């Protein structure tokens, strides 16, 4: 697997001619979006002004803003659709190919709902979406990850639906290097952070939706995470002292809430962040170092899990 | 309902909860210790194979092999107390650690498939024992806290519950962890 600097080099050197072409397209698209946006805003403002003038109802303004954002978002997505698709095919796909031969990239697919539910990390969703699925093998260890968005439906007394987000971010599933039978779930520790050790710990032990609370013997890990498992010993077999240290480091590096579970000999890792992974930038240059690093960083963090957690090292009886 | 009756019911309820919590903690310790026993048995079963596979190569390490064999025989004796088991476990861990380090000095042995397989299995068993030990220590800590802290300590002394011993980490294992940390 390529290192981060090798990937950055590849982004700039091998992809440079394509990046330059895309940069031209991006500039044209940007000015088109600005013109369309300006005209759209003026037309909409005039329309609202006229309607409000004749009806004089405050609701017109509220509905007006809602419609303005919704239609605006739709137009924006429609305008960048082709460019996004081209960017992913010409930049992201080769970037992933160069990282590891045995990885394949599917820009329109995502992790299956079955894997999300299997992880036991979140409640079952009513609607799922996502994109940018990467799957394959790194150092003989199977891995797949994608952007994932899971939502729950709520129906009010009038029968109207509304949706709330259960999870949104990067979802990674990889083979684990030890065999295990039970289920162990590692969640961000919000109770202890909010209520302190004594009450926080008591609250955690009373979480009826989860298995038994497992108190871990690494103070730093215990401060950041809470562990539930149906097997006290197996949870500690999986979460050895070294893997706890690595997960703590990993969480610090991500800088976003991290949810991890060990189910059916696989590790499931969900990084909660409200951003799509490989979307092209429209308002900043593709040739800028910061922009390039964002793509490289995301890719490296997602695939880095194999090396960071040493999932490819089979020193145990599992072959 | 009269106030004294309510107070009496509340006090009785608290006593029952304290009693149950102490019994629960004691049983948790016993339950996890039973699992450690199973894991240790797995390790004792591996020892004769290991000794047989390496003994013809390791002429200079005869005393180490004899020690491992003797410790295994001691550990297999019936009616050992928990304290004795904990002590023997520490001694065997340390002796097996030295044996594995000695294996490193014999290139033929290191490449031997049978020894490699035994080493891998032993490694896994060691990890499982270590996990069980950590679970046991946590259960014992919870139990010891309960029998020493107010108000459960009064109930515990009435029940004749006494402190239990935790597994102490073998010195060699501590070193191993440090070495790993250096390279990670």
């Amino acid at each position: 697997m390529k290192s981060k600097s090798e990937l950055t080099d590849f982004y700039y050197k091998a992809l440079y001619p394509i990046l330059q072409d895309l940069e031209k397209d991006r500039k044209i698209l940007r000015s088109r979006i600005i013109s369309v946006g300006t005209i759209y805003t003026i037309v909409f403002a005039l329309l609202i002004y006229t309607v409000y003038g004749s009806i004089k109802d405050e609701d017109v303004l509220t509905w007006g803003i809602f419609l303005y954002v919704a239609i605006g978002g739709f137009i924006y997505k429609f305008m960048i659709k082709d460019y996004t698709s081209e960017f992913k095919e010409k930049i992201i796909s080769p970037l992933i190919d160069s990282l590891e031969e045995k990885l394949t990239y599917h820009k329109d697919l995502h992790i299956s709902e079955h894997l999300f539910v299997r992880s036991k990390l979140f409640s079952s969703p009513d609607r799922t979406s996502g994109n940018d699925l990467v799957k394959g093998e790194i150092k003989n260890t199977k891995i797949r990850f994608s952007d994932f968005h899971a939502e729950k439906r709520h129906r009010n007394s009038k029968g109207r639906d509304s949706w709330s987000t259960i999870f949104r971010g990067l979802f990674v599933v990889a083979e684990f290097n030890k065999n295990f039978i039970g289920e162990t779930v590692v969640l961000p520790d919000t109770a202890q952070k909010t209520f302190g050790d004594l009450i926080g710990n008591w609250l955690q032990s009373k979480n009826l939706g989860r298995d038994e609370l497992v108190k871990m013997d690494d103070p730093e890990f215990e401060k950041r995470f809470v562990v539930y498992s149906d097997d006290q010993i197996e949870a500690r077999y999986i979460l050895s002292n070294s893997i706890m240290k690595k997960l703590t480091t990993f969480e610090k590096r991500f800088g976003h809430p991290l949810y991890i579970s060990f189910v059916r000999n696989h590790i499931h890792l969900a990084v909660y962040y409200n951003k799509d992974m490989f979307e092209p930038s429209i308002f900043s240059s593709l040739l800028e170092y910061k922009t390039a690093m964002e793509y490289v960083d995301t890719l490296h963090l997602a695939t880095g899990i194999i090396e960071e957690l040493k999932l490819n090292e089979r020193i145990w009886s599992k072959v | 309902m009269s106030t004294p009756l309510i107070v009496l019911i509340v006090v009785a309820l608290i006593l029952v909860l304290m009693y149950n919590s102490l019994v629960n903690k004691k049983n948790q310790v016993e339950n996890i210790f039973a699992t450690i026993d199973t894991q240790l048995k797995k390790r004792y079963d591996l020892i004769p194979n290991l000794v047989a596979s390496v003994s013809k190569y390791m002429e200079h390490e005869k005393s180490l092999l004899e020690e491992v064999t003797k410790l295994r025989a001691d550990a297999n004796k019936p009616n050992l107390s928990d304290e004795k088991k904990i002590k023997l476990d520490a001694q065997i861990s340390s002796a097996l650690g030295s044996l594995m380090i000695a294996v490193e000095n014999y290139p033929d042995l290191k490449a031997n498939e049978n020894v490699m397989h035994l080493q891998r299995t032993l490694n896994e068993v060691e990890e499982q024992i270590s996990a069980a030990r950590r679970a046991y220590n946590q259960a014992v800590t919870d139990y010891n806290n309960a029998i020493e802290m107010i108000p459960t300590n009064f109930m515990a002394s009435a029940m004749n519950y006494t402190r239990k011993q935790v597994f102490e980490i073998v010195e060699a294992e501590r070193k191993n962890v440090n070495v790993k940390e250096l390279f990670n």
Side-chain angles (χ1 to χ4, degrees):
Chain A
M1 200 173 84
K2 278 198 171 70
S3 71
K4 206 154 112 180
S5 55
E6 282 171 323
L7 263 189
T8 319
D9 271 0
F10 179 82
Y11 182 86
Y12 276 120
K13 285 180 188 155
L15 303 175
Y16 200 77
I18 312 168
L19 277 170
Q20 276 181 319
D21 283 348
L22 276 172
E23 181 63 12
K24 276 181 213 148
D25 292 349
R26 185 190 71 82
K27 281 182 181 156
I28 297 167
L29 181 65
R30 186 187 57 186
S31 44
R32 199 180 295 152
I33 289 173
I34 292 172
S35 339
V36 171
T38 316
I39 296 166
Y40 169 69
T41 309
I42 294 169
V43 170
F44 215 92
L46 282 173
L47 203 71
I48 295 288
Y49 182 74
T50 322
V51 176
Y52 184 66
S54 58
I55 303 178
K56 291 241 179 280
D57 187 345
E58 295 264 316
D59 275 355
V60 172
L61 290 177
T62 322
W63 276 102
I65 292 167
F66 175 75
L67 274 177
Y68 172 75
V69 173
I71 299 173
F74 182 76
I75 296 173
Y76 178 76
K77 277 209 166 154
F78 179 75
M79 286 180 79
I80 65 162
K81 201 176 150 216
D82 289 345
Y83 175 71
T84 304
S85 177
E86 203 182 340
F87 171 81
K88 287 183 176 181
E89 266 162 34
K90 289 183 175 166
I91 302 294
I92 300 299
S93 188
L95 203 60
I96 288 163
D97 281 346
S98 83
L99 179 76
E100 179 72 53
E101 266 177 22
K102 287 180 180 169
L103 288 179
T104 54
Y105 171 65
H106 311 268
K107 64 180 179 352
D108 299 320
L109 299 179
H110 58 81
I111 286 276
S112 73
E113 190 178 321
H114 156 74
L115 287 180
F116 180 80
V117 173
R118 188 182 79 174
S119 76
K120 302 271 172 92
L121 287 172
F122 306 94
S123 54
S124 288
D126 293 313
R127 181 168 78 182
T128 59
S129 58
N131 54 20
D132 296 324
L133 174 71
V134 178
K135 62 175 187 175
E137 273 183 26
I138 298 176
K139 297 192 168 178
N140 293 326
T141 305
K142 286 199 180 96
I143 184 170
R144 59 177 63 202
F145 59 90
S146 82
D147 264 333
F148 198 78
H149 190 187
E151 292 169 288
K152 193 126 207 122
R153 181 195 289 129
H154 306 278
R155 191 156 281 178
N156 66 13
S157 53
K158 288 174 190 161
R160 257 189 224 142
D161 280 353
S162 64
W163 295 88
S164 65
T165 294
I166 301 171
F167 169 76
R168 186 168 188 185
L170 176 66
F171 200 87
V172 189
V173 183
E175 268 183 311
F176 197 62
N177 54 7
K178 290 178 184 174
N179 280 319
F180 53 87
I181 305 159
E183 292 171 350
T184 299
V185 173
V186 182
L187 306 172
D189 192 341
T190 39
Q192 249 170 301
K193 252 180 222 158
T194 322
F195 301 103
D197 285 355
L198 199 68
I199 301 173
N201 222 317
W202 181 80
L203 282 174
Q204 286 167 348
S205 67
K206 299 290 168 232
N207 191 340
L208 294 176
R210 297 285 177 189
D211 288 317
E212 250 181 89
L213 176 74
V214 185
K215 282 189 230 162
M216 300 309 294
D217 43 3
D218 181 322
E220 177 81 10
F221 182 85
E222 182 62 25
K223 209 169 82 186
R224 289 169 184 271
F225 298 104
V226 51
V227 182
Y228 294 101
S229 177
D230 56 3
D231 188 332
Q232 290 274 340
I233 297 169
E234 199 178 72
R236 290 175 174 93
Y237 173 58
I238 295 167
L239 294 165
S240 62
N241 289 97
S242 76
I243 209 147
M244 282 195 284
K245 288 228 158 25
K246 283 169 193 156
L247 284 174
T248 313
T249 318
F250 215 51
E251 195 240 20
K252 280 188 206 158
R253 193 172 310 165
F254 266 123
H256 296 278
L258 196 61
Y259 299 74
I260 309 137
S261 78
F262 301 87
V263 181
R264 299 246 189 138
N265 288 328
H266 282 78
I267 176 171
H268 307 75
L269 196 127
V271 192
Y272 205 119
Y273 60 99
N274 272 323
K275 205 179 161 200
D276 265 357
M277 269 203 298
F278 298 127
E279 300 310 303
S281 62
I282 307 287
F283 296 99
S284 62
S285 167
L286 291 172
L287 304 171
E288 254 177 48
Y289 182 71
K290 204 180 128 219
T291 318
M293 281 317 285
E294 249 182 64
Y295 303 123
V296 170
D297 260 344
T298 319
L299 191 59
H300 216 260
L301 274 177
T303 49
I305 178 179
I306 305 271
E307 278 186 357
E308 292 261 353
L309 304 184
K310 303 213 181 303
L311 298 182
N312 56 314
E313 278 185 14
R314 305 288 157 86
I315 54 165
W316 297 273
S317 60
K318 184 173 177 174
V319 183
Chain B
M1 213 188 283
S2 64
T3 322
L5 192 63
I6 295 174
V7 171
L8 200 70
I9 291 174
V10 170
V11 169
L13 200 71
I14 290 172
L15 287 176
V16 168
L17 285 176
M18 269 169 29
Y19 180 86
N20 285 352
S21 135
L22 279 166
V23 172
N24 181 22
K25 287 191 167 72
K26 185 186 76 108
N27 288 345
Q28 176 83 335
V29 170
E30 279 169 10
N31 180 25
I32 294 181
F33 198 84
T35 322
I36 297 186
D37 255 353
T38 323
Q39 306 286 4
L40 292 177
K41 174 89 177 51
K42 247 200 247 174
R43 180 162 76 173
Y44 301 147
D45 291 346
L46 284 174
I47 291 175
N49 287 334
L50 189 69
V51 171
S53 309
V54 301
S55 59
K56 58 179 172 187
Y57 291 87
M58 299 174 105
E59 285 301 319
H60 302 295
E61 261 76 31
K62 267 269 182 292
S63 61
L64 188 57
L65 293 173
E66 276 161 14
E67 192 198 334
V68 173
T69 315
K70 186 193 163 289
L71 285 171
R72 182 198 179 252
D74 287 349
N76 275 339
K77 279 180 192 155
N79 304 326
L80 286 178
S81 68
D82 288 358
E83 284 76 22
K84 184 82 184 147
K85 279 182 193 166
I86 290 176
K87 203 172 155 224
L88 274 169
D89 164 66
Q91 285 173 322
I92 291 183
S93 289
S94 155
L96 279 176
S98 311
L99 186 64
M100 284 305 140
I101 291 167
V103 167
E104 295 295 312
N105 296 327
Y106 297 82
D108 286 353
L109 204 52
K110 242 169 74 180
N112 181 308
E113 218 163 273
N114 193 21
V115 175
M116 263 161 63
H117 175 72
L118 277 168
Q119 239 175 339
R120 259 200 244 136
T121 319
L122 196 62
N123 229 332
E124 184 167 315
V125 174
E126 290 294 337
E127 283 251 340
Q128 278 164 349
I129 293 174
S130 149
R133 270 196 220 119
R134 286 162 59 209
Y136 178 78
N137 284 354
Q138 186 61 54
V140 168
T141 308
D142 286 347
Y143 167 84
N144 284 346
N145 282 345
I147 64 170
E148 283 181 1
M149 280 179 179
I150 296 170
T152 36
N153 58 341
F154 299 115
M155 175 70 89
S157 70
M159 289 159 81
N160 268 339
Y161 278 12
T162 48
R163 272 184 71 90
K164 284 186 190 285
Q165 196 191 340
V166 293
F167 273 91
E168 272 166 20
I169 301 171
V170 185
E171 200 55 40
E173 272 186 31
R174 241 183 237 153
K175 277 182 202 148
N176 277 348
V177 171
N178 285 342
V179 171
K180 269 185 200 159
E181 275 171 9
L182 279 178
F183 290 105
N184 284 339

